[in-house]
Amino acid sequence: MKIAFDGYRYVGLTAGSVNRKGVRNFIRTQLLCGLRKGSQYNVDFFVSATSKVLDSIGIYFSPEDYLYEQRSYRDIQPAYWYVRSGAALSQPSNKWQKVHYVYTATGNEAYLTIGLFKRIDYTGSLKPDFQDEYLFLLDKVSLTPVNPNEKICAEAEQERWQIYSADDRHQRLDKTISNHLKNPPVPRPKLGLTRTPYVQHIDTLIIPDIYFISASYELSKKSFDLLDSFAHKISGVMDSVIVKGHTDSIGNLQYNQELSQNRAVSVKQYLMTKLPSLGVPFIARGYAFLEPIASNKTSSGRKKNRRVEIYVYRRE
């Protein structure tokens, strides 16, 4: 009995038949959000098969649901064909093998489909996996943005609920497909226009220890120009402002915790006088010496660790 890659579940898809031509299964899903045109996305999953069908598995993005596709799979060109290479070639095909592909979006994607798009039927071993069918197994599929600052769209959870609530099966599903083909619904707006993931930009400023009165949380006068310039640069649409205070390891934890927290609060309060908050949260946090960026064993390292970091998060 096959064990799923992550120990839970996997899906088996028909890749061909001993006795019948053109027998295939495809698995498809609607995307929760649109893809940003020109942006790149990681497509990852694991595959396994007893027969040599893995080199024919394709990944297909489409603006419409593949469930209602009237073209033959033979007329469809996937965005990517999986070809075993490198270390995968030395492994038996029935072992779980990772597929990784970086896809550049056109902005028209609404559905992702995976299956055997090969035009010619598989004619390998006559020993089928189930009844008279050859199968390949699929597990742990994911689609994630390459840009770590791209965040999922606000409508994703609502879309997830609608997808899961569409549970037509067997004869009911056949009837739904038939009705759809006879009376196609009005095309939905492109996901890229209606549910576009947003990109989160992060503006940062590091304030060294020299901008504070020695061993104090009071800002020195020379810090004002620096903060004024930064406030002018970031003024506009913001999601949140987080100020983090840090110290070196001289002294006990409680003392440094209070000093780092108070320095963060001082910077936060100054920025709030320069920036119209408009309901945007300003958050101050003190980390004492728990997050050093250099060694505390040297004076130069301790100097780098005594700092306040400002992070301004805003959407594109």
Side-chain angles (χ1 to χ4, degrees):
M1 183 177 178
K2 186 71 175 182
I3 298 176
F5 172 78
D6 60 1
Y8 294 95
R9 300 176 180 87
Y10 61 86
V11 62
L13 298 175
T14 300
S17 170
V18 174
N19 301 312
R20 295 172 294 162
K21 292 185 178 181
V23 178
R24 308 286 171 87
N25 282 159
F26 298 87
I27 188 168
R28 104 285 186 234
T29 184
Q30 181 178 323
L31 303 181
L32 295 177
C33 304
L35 304 184
R36 299 176 66 90
K37 183 178 180 179
S39 294
Q40 293 187 314
Y41 297 85
N42 296 309
V43 182
D44 294 284
F45 55 87
F46 287 83
V47 291
S48 172
T50 57
S51 54
K52 298 179 181 180
V53 299
L54 294 185
D55 288 348
S56 304
I57 297 170
I59 302 168
Y60 175 55
F61 287 94
S62 61
E64 304 297 337
D65 193 343
Y66 186 76
L67 190 65
Y68 308 117
E69 177 63 66
Q70 298 188 53
R71 294 177 298 167
S72 167
Y73 61 82
R74 294 183 174 90
D75 298 325
I76 294 175
Q77 180 62 38
Y80 171 75
W81 291 100
Y82 171 53
V83 177
R84 288 207 301 158
S85 60
L89 280 174
S90 62
Q91 299 180 13
S93 61
N94 64 347
K95 298 290 185 181
W96 286 111
Q97 298 174 33
K98 183 173 183 178
V99 178
H100 173 72
Y101 168 60
V102 178
Y103 173 72
T104 302
T106 66
N108 295 323
E109 298 84 358
Y111 291 86
L112 168 64
T113 302
I114 301 176
L116 197 76
F117 285 90
K118 188 176 181 180
R119 293 172 174 80
I120 302 172
D121 284 330
Y122 175 67
T123 57
S125 169
L126 295 180
K127 183 180 180 181
D129 297 296
F130 176 73
Q131 296 180 348
D132 65 346
E133 296 179 352
Y134 306 113
L135 303 178
F136 76 89
L137 310 181
L138 183 67
D139 196 4
K140 214 172 179 62
V141 181
S142 66
L143 174 67
T144 56
V146 171
N147 181 355
N149 293 324
E150 181 175 319
K151 306 300 179 183
I152 199 165
C153 61
E155 301 83 359
E157 198 56 41
Q158 178 183 353
E159 196 65 30
R160 188 195 310 273
W161 181 86
Q162 292 179 351
I163 292 171
Y164 287 170
S165 65
D167 60 353
D168 290 351
R169 299 171 187 272
H170 307 299
Q171 293 181 348
R172 184 177 173 185
L173 180 59
D174 292 338
K175 185 177 181 180
T176 300
I177 296 173
S178 177
N179 290 338
H180 184 103
L181 295 177
K182 292 177 181 177
N183 303 291
V186 176
R188 297 177 63 182
K190 292 179 181 178
L191 283 181
L193 297 177
T194 59
R195 296 194 295 283
T196 305
Y198 68 89
V199 173
Q200 191 173 58
H201 291 277
I202 306 174
D203 294 296
T204 62
L205 175 66
I206 307 297
I207 305 177
D209 176 59
I210 59 174
Y211 287 95
F212 292 88
I213 303 300
S214 180
S216 168
Y217 56 84
E218 182 181 350
L219 286 165
S220 65
K221 291 183 179 179
K222 63 181 177 179
S223 68
F224 298 156
D225 288 341
L226 178 67
L227 289 172
D228 290 347
S229 175
F230 185 66
H232 177 74
K233 174 187 174 184
I234 63 176
S235 60
V237 179
M238 297 178 292
D239 287 333
S240 62
V241 179
I242 298 178
V243 185
K244 300 180 179 181
H246 304 272
T247 67
D248 60 26
S249 61
I250 302 299
N252 61 45
L253 179 60
Q254 181 179 351
Y255 168 80
N256 283 293
Q257 179 66 50
E258 292 178 358
L259 178 60
S260 62
Q261 179 69 30
N262 289 334
R263 284 188 168 186
V265 169
S266 294
V267 173
K268 165 194 160 182
Q269 291 176 338
Y270 186 88
L271 285 177
M272 290 181 70
T273 66
K274 300 295 180 178
L275 293 168
S277 66
L278 300 177
V280 173
F282 282 71
I283 302 169
R285 296 170 179 159
Y287 292 89
F289 46 72
L290 301 178
E291 294 189 358
I293 57 174
S295 172
N296 275 306
K297 295 181 179 180
T298 64
S299 59
S300 60
R302 290 191 295 271
K303 183 178 179 180
K304 292 179 180 178
N305 290 332
R306 298 190 298 268
R307 70 203 188 276
V308 169
E309 302 168 338
I310 305 172
Y311 297 87
V312 179
Y313 297 86
R314 58 186 176 87
R315 297 188 183 190
E316 183 179 81

